[in-house]
Amino acid sequence: MVMINVSGLDVNFPFTPYECQKVYMEHVVQALQMGSNALLESPTGTGKTLCLLCAVLAWRESFVSSLSKSDRGDRACQSLSSGLEHTSGQQGGSSLATIKSVAEAEDMIATRTGPRIIYTSRTHSQLTQVVRELKRTKYRTKMTVLGSRSQLCIHPEVSKAPTGAQNAMCSQYVANHKCMHKNELDSRKDELVQKVMKTPVDIEDLVRIAGIRGACPYYLARNARESSDLILMPYNYVVDSATRDRLDIDWNKDIVIFDEAHNLDSVCMEARSFDLTSHHREACLREIQRIESEADRIPFGPGTGEQSQVNTELLRTFLQALEGRVKDLEIKAGTYFSGMGDSILRIFDQSSVATGKEKSVLSEVEAARQYLLNDSSLGQYAPGLTALAEALATVSDLKPEILREEFRVCVCIEPEKNDPGTLRQHFQSYNQRGNRTLSLWCMNPAISMNSILRKGVRSILMTSGTLAPLDGTEKEMGIPFQVKLENSHVIGEGQALMTCVPRGPRGVFLNSSYKNRDSEDYLAELGSSIMNFAQVVPEGILVFFSSYNILGKSVALWQRRAIGEKESLYERLNRRKPIVLEPRDSSSFNAALELHQSNVRDKGGSILFAVCRGKTSEGLDFSDSLARCVIVVGIPYPTLNDPKVSLKRDYLERRRGKRAGSEWYVQNAFRAVNQAVGRAIRHRNDYGAILLCDQRFLDEKSRARFSSWLRPHFSAWNSFGVTQRSLVNFFRSADKAPFTLQRKRDLEERETAENKRMRSKCKVEGFFEAIQQQATVRESKDSRAHQGRIKHVQDLLPMIRGELGADKYDSFLSLLREAKRVSALRKTGKGLHHAEVRTCLRELHSLFGSSENGILILNNLLQFIPSNLKDDYRRFVTGFLLSKVSCGNTGVLGLLKATRMSLGEDEYAKFRRQLGELKEIGHDTENHRVREILQGFRETVRGNVPPGQSPSANELLTEWGKYLPSSVRALFGRILDS
């Protein structure tokens, strides 16, 4: 770790940061110190997540230490006195701020140890990357990660239920105390909460840690949030007010981080919008019929004993009237109805939505919905009533003037294939006009962002690789950002080539505009261009089209064979580099991605055809050979006749002027381009080419819309041949450049270290198999003796589980089941060799040998060792345990006791923590933390053992050097000699 000074703050960083990384951290710290909001753009590959974590956690650590109880009273009185004196001479603005900051500090001390950090990103896969970066840092703070039941539930029935039913089923099981996992969690809540908060965990870690113990991961995360200082969650949990309120978090003085925030505006608007389809309205009627078939008076609320009358007649009347109003709207073919947001009140019938009646429609919908969710006899959930309740709640929460200004209503005719058919029996007089979707769309993301600010958060940090232009993003989000940054990249000259390709090899202009994109001449020229590029670009290529429609038309044309041709263009291209198509279905995406990766690895290259705004362009790592070239086909403008796009443009022109709508429209397209081309460069030693296959990119205004780091790399030639030669020269130079050679060395060292770790792991696990095998052999030979030994093993296993921890213990048990095979091989002379046994025993020592419990386990395991391994075991383990050491006692037990006596209780506890952490990460000698632990090891002993004491500090350190994991002994020896 490297300690650096960032704006007066000491920040621990895993390595010496680059200049752009220091600049990024300075802006983060500046925003936090000021209590301001920040808008931070930093290119993909600059390590922005690592920089963000280190800066925020260092600032929080400093902030907490400054609020120590020993001096808070003095500082508060001093600041308050200074503020009051200042007030007497001036108007008091700054003094009020001082008094406010003192009050803030006092409030912070009274409530928590410091401001909580809410770290959000778009998806859980992106949050997993955040956890991976957090593990690289020095900072360890209490943390948890929040997810949905669909991601976290391990109940055998609930986890298999449809997503919409899981919440209802879970609530019912929990309310009736029938969920064994929730019951197990309740019995061990404090223990498990402390366990999950101790180290950085992602969703998979959380499920594994809780699942091994039979506890509920979902409620474990919820319980852990109460005392966590860092909470990870998808950012829709924050911007959606209903979800945010259900989290039951006190947001006051918290720091909210939106990572990968280039899509945050659309998420904010979607959180305040709804689409009520004909399917939803039909489902409502079916659900009402189910209620009526049960009884007039129905139980309400699990275990409450309350009675509630659901007025199904009122609901039926409301739904029929709603359907009539929706179907009565005049909509011509190919068009839609739209209106100001407050027109939803007339469609819903304002008198029915209002709470003036004894029971409003909303309360009746909620009552009916809760009945279906809570009645176990029905075993159903309520998708229709749930959608209707959310729609009514959205409208009821907003004032009419806000609805009018910031929302738009839209009614569209649904495609014929979505016709549910059975609506006809309920709404016969209206069905001839087609089924329709009723939508209310929020046009302003500021509605959600301002609701977060009103919670009293200290700072909001928005960051991404593609936020430019920052002024436009600030206007769109509708809140002030006092700190802004467009950061540079870590790469140097010769690592990126971005060029516009206005013409193809035959001189035909490349232009994917609406008028030209279906032209066969254009599509054929585009295919020939990609074919030529594939011949000179090494390894992987990503090709981004504007839409799936254009991608499909292009591939269809390229697959056609001209008269007399043996191969189509598509077949020739596929022979040159295997082609992979990005699927529309997200469930098939991982398979397509793996195919692209295997093609690059096994066949030397691959072309992945994808679309802008698709999964390929969002946050995936196509480093090194996976994407040596990114080709962008056309400019991905949003579909102009999409009702939501059209209404958004109209809204902006009404609010901000005529050009505002067009500016948003263009900005939206170029943000998608910037996001796609960001796949080309993923780290400081990466390199790649970016080819913009559309003549419209030559426009000066278009160039200005690229991220600032890309603009210096831009070039353009009118001749396709010149473009091709520049591409050849670029890759020829890059292949021999220092950054490429360094990357190769890094990968070789990483592969060597990983192989070494895997070999050591396999050998240790193989030895455990032999131990368990002996118990199995004895069972078959002597059942009476076996009963006594099994009892002993059962007593021993909890000790092993406690010593190894849940993760290693789980692997331990699964590997023991293979013991029979290993034992049989050893008996035939084809099993473990002496050298391999020796390695296993050394690693066994590193797992168990650092605690008194571990030594006891090693001693007790001796009697279960197969006879053909016992000599080796005694020689390398028993001999180790009983060997004389210079501290005047025997074995590690004696060494631990001598160390404890020499250091005292407090320092011995610190020593044991260092030893435990070394046991976890000691196999990874490249980890900077390993060196820090060993150095701390040395300083702890030398700093606390008085001169002249026997054993001396050096004697203790020398003896411990014999028992450290073999992978770090040489490094520890060098540290002792330094």
Side-chain angles (χ1 to χ4, degrees), residues 914 930-940 972 975:
Q914 293 170 331
V930 173
R931 178 177 287 274
E932 288 183 357
I933 293 171
L934 294 175
Q935 291 172 338
F937 214 59
R938 177 191 63 187
E939 300 306 322
T940 298
F972 187 59
I975 290 174

Side-chain angles (χ1 to χ4, degrees), residues 589-874:
F589 178 75
N590 287 339
L593 183 60
E594 289 172 6
L595 180 58
H596 175 71
Q597 293 169 340
S598 64
N599 286 343
V600 172
R601 181 181 64 249
D602 302 331
K603 300 181 180 180
S606 180
I607 300 180
L608 176 57
F609 286 162
V611 297
C612 293
R613 302 187 187 89
K615 291 184 72 68
T616 301
S617 67
E618 289 288 337
L620 293 177
D621 186 5
F622 288 91
S623 60
D624 300 318
S625 59
L626 294 179
R628 284 297 176 214
C629 179
V630 170
I631 301 173
V632 178
V633 177
I635 302 175
Y637 291 110
T639 305
L640 197 54
N641 58 2
D642 183 325
K644 191 176 288 188
V645 173
S646 178
L647 291 174
K648 175 69 174 182
R649 290 187 64 173
D650 177 72
Y651 163 82
L652 290 171
E653 289 168 2
R654 286 172 179 262
R655 293 295 301 270
R656 302 178 193 168
K658 290 185 177 180
R659 300 186 62 181
S662 297
E663 179 61 28
W664 168 84
Y665 184 71
V666 175
Q667 179 179 316
N668 188 290
F670 275 85
R671 183 168 294 167
V673 172
N674 282 323
Q675 190 67 20
V677 301
R679 305 310 97 197
I681 309 292
R682 304 300 296 180
H683 55 81
R684 64 186 176 90
N685 289 321
D686 204 356
Y687 65 93
I690 300 163
L691 305 177
L692 308 171
C693 293
D694 196 303
Q695 66 178 142
R696 293 173 293 174
F697 285 112
L698 288 174
D699 183 69
E700 288 289 342
K701 292 182 179 179
S702 295
R703 292 194 221 176
R705 296 182 184 278
F706 285 105
S707 298
S708 59
W709 74 271
L710 276 170
R711 294 171 207 153
H713 300 283
F714 187 89
S715 62
W717 293 274
N718 281 326
S719 168
F720 186 86
V722 175
T723 302
Q724 187 88 332
R725 284 195 295 274
S726 69
L727 202 57
V728 172
N729 293 334
F730 170 76
F731 283 111
R732 185 177 296 158
S733 300
D735 189 55
K736 300 176 182 178
F739 53 80
T740 303
L741 300 177
Q742 181 60 46
R743 180 60 174 169
K744 290 179 180 178
R745 285 193 292 269
D746 292 344
L747 291 175
E748 288 172 359
E749 291 173 2
R750 184 184 302 174
E751 183 178 5
T752 300
E754 183 64 23
N755 289 340
K756 184 177 179 180
R757 283 194 294 269
M758 291 303 296
R759 284 196 300 270
S760 298
K761 179 181 178 183
C762 291
K763 290 175 181 178
V764 173
E765 292 168 346
F767 181 74
F768 282 141
E769 295 172 356
I771 294 175
Q772 184 64 16
Q773 172 61 20
Q774 182 63 17
T776 305
V777 171
R778 288 178 179 174
E779 178 180 8
S780 61
K781 289 185 176 180
D782 187 349
S783 60
R784 194 166 41 179
H786 168 68
Q787 290 173 1
R789 295 197 186 282
I790 281 295
K791 183 178 180 181
H792 188 87
V793 169
Q794 289 173 340
D795 292 338
L796 189 60
L797 288 180
M799 292 179 62
I800 296 175
R801 178 172 182 168
E803 183 64 16
L804 291 180
D807 297 342
K808 291 181 180 178
Y809 179 74
D810 188 49
S811 299
F812 171 75
L813 290 180
S814 64
L815 289 162
L816 291 182
R817 287 190 284 269
E818 297 291 325
K820 186 175 181 179
R821 177 183 58 81
V822 173
S823 180
L825 286 174
R826 184 61 185 268
K827 288 177 181 179
T828 61
K830 298 179 181 179
L832 297 172
H833 298 292
H834 288 290
E836 293 173 313
V837 173
R838 189 180 302 113
T839 302
C840 291
L841 295 173
R842 287 199 187 104
E843 295 298 330
L844 181 66
H845 159 210
S846 71
L847 290 173
F848 287 104
S850 60
S851 69
E852 291 91 335
N853 285 338
I855 304 306
L856 290 173
I857 290 170
L858 287 172
N859 275 322
N860 281 292
L861 283 175
L862 174 61
Q863 60 187 306
F864 298 102
I865 299 298
S867 57
N868 58 349
L869 292 180
K870 264 189 175 177
D871 290 340
D872 290 314
Y873 188 92
R874 285 195 182 97

Side-chain angles (χ1 to χ4, degrees), residues 217-253:
Y218 177 80
Y219 282 103
L220 175 58
R222 259 46 182 185
N223 290 329
R225 78 178 185 271
E226 299 170 3
S227 49
S228 292
D229 300 320
L230 172 64
I231 305 178
L232 275 59
M233 65 183 79
Y235 52 58
N236 64 294
Y237 283 33
V238 179
V239 300
D240 187 325
S241 58
T243 305
R244 184 174 64 230
D245 292 342
R246 286 195 294 270
L247 294 178
D248 194 25
I249 290 176
D250 178 13
W251 300 84
N252 191 40
K253 307 296 187 297

Side-chain angles (χ1 to χ4, degrees), residues 474-486:
E474 183 177 26
K475 284 181 182 179
E476 181 67 10
M477 301 312 298
I479 63 172
F481 290 95
Q482 296 84 355
V483 178
K484 300 177 191 175
L485 171 67
E486 278 190 81

Side-chain angles (χ1 to χ4, degrees), residues 205-226:
D205 295 330
L206 185 63
V207 171
R208 184 174 63 253
I209 291 171
I212 288 173
R213 295 163 174 79
C216 174
Y218 177 80
Y219 282 103
L220 175 58
R222 259 46 182 185
N223 290 329
R225 78 178 185 271
E226 299 170 3

Side-chain angles (χ1 to χ4, degrees), residues 287-354:
E287 290 155 13
I288 291 171
Q289 287 178 337
R290 288 207 304 270
I291 295 173
E292 289 175 332
S293 66
E294 290 294 308
D296 289 334
R297 296 191 61 81
I298 55 180
F300 183 76
T304 62
E306 297 180 15
Q307 298 290 316
S308 176
Q309 182 75 33
V310 175
N311 191 337
T312 55
E313 187 58 36
L314 173 64
L315 293 180
R316 186 186 302 279
T317 301
F318 171 78
L319 284 167
Q320 289 176 336
L322 173 62
E323 193 69 18
R325 284 188 289 272
V326 170
K327 290 294 180 70
D328 282 341
L329 295 171
E330 291 294 333
I331 303 177
K332 295 180 181 180
T335 65
Y336 53 88
F337 167 85
S338 65
M340 305 300 283
D342 58 349
S343 61
I344 192 67
L345 298 175
R346 293 186 291 277
I347 295 174
F348 271 159
D349 182 2
Q350 189 169 4
S351 61
S352 296
V353 179

